[in-house]
Amino acid sequence: MTAGTSNADLHASREEIGDLPVAYTVVEAIVAVISAFGNLLTIIVFIQDKKLRKVTNFYIVSLAVADLLVGVFGIPSAIFTRIGVPRNAFHVCLSMLSFLLVLCTVSILNLVAVSLDRFWAILYPLNYHRRMSSMYLITLCMQCSSRLQEKS
């Protein structure tokens, strides 16, 4: 105990630290449920309504799938590692956190794809629909992944 620090101060700081995992767990669980429910609804509506099957909406569904996986698997793994459930299992904890990192990265990359799609639609409004074919998008994705592999 340092000078100027009383027992009451130490006790208060321990209570704050002790309350943090409960508050964190509750907030994260609520976010996970809302995320899973909302993204599942998005996917169901896309599957049922054939009018929504346009190139731009495939980006949105891809983002919904990524965010659904984050809500169902990523957030619970973050909660478990935060409360220390995989005790004395370093590799399990590392795997769970790595899985969370991959899911979040996929979600972020989907946001980048949606942003680029909207950017191209605004920048090239007259030839956007001719340019955005399935084959063009597949080729673009393959080029991006090969460039990412070259840099790593």
Side-chain angles (χ1 to χ4, degrees):
M1 191 160 37
T2 62
T5 305
S6 67
N7 260 345
D9 291 339
L10 288 175
H11 185 65
S13 67
R14 284 186 188 140
E15 286 178 3
E16 289 173 11
I17 293 170
D19 290 343
L20 180 65
V22 173
Y24 172 83
T25 303
V26 169
V27 170
E28 286 285 345
I30 290 169
V31 168
V33 169
I34 291 171
S35 170
F37 181 71
N39 287 304
L40 189 61
L41 283 178
T42 302
I43 295 166
I44 290 170
V45 167
F46 180 79
I47 289 171
Q48 289 185 346
D49 192 355
K50 295 191 187 293
K51 289 185 270 183
L52 292 176
R53 296 191 185 162
K54 296 178 182 165
V55 174
T56 301
N57 292 338
F58 277 98
Y59 289 119
I60 303 300
V61 170
S62 177
L63 178 62
V65 169
D67 287 345
L68 177 70
L69 292 174
V70 169
V72 171
F73 297 112
I75 294 175
S77 71
I79 291 171
F80 289 143
T81 55
R82 177 69 175 110
I83 62 176
V85 167
R87 298 189 195 285
N88 300 325
F90 174 74
H91 294 294
V92 174
C93 183
L94 186 64
S95 298
M96 289 171 69
L97 288 175
S98 298
F99 187 60
L100 174 65
L101 182 68
V102 167
L103 289 176
C104 290
T105 303
V106 167
S107 181
I108 291 167
L109 290 176
N110 273 296
L111 282 172
V112 170
V114 170
S115 300
L116 284 174
D117 177 65
R118 296 295 80 216
F119 174 74
W120 286 331
I122 291 169
L123 194 61
Y124 305 110
L126 300 177
N127 65 359
Y128 169 78
H129 292 290
R130 280 184 307 184
R131 181 179 257 182
M132 285 299 151
S133 65
S134 327
M135 194 52 133
Y136 179 77
L137 292 175
I138 290 171
T139 305
L140 184 65
C141 289
M142 290 174 66
Q143 287 177 351
C144 288
S145 67
S146 67
R147 288 193 177 144
L148 285 174
Q149 289 175 355
E150 288 174 3
K151 292 185 179 188
S152 60

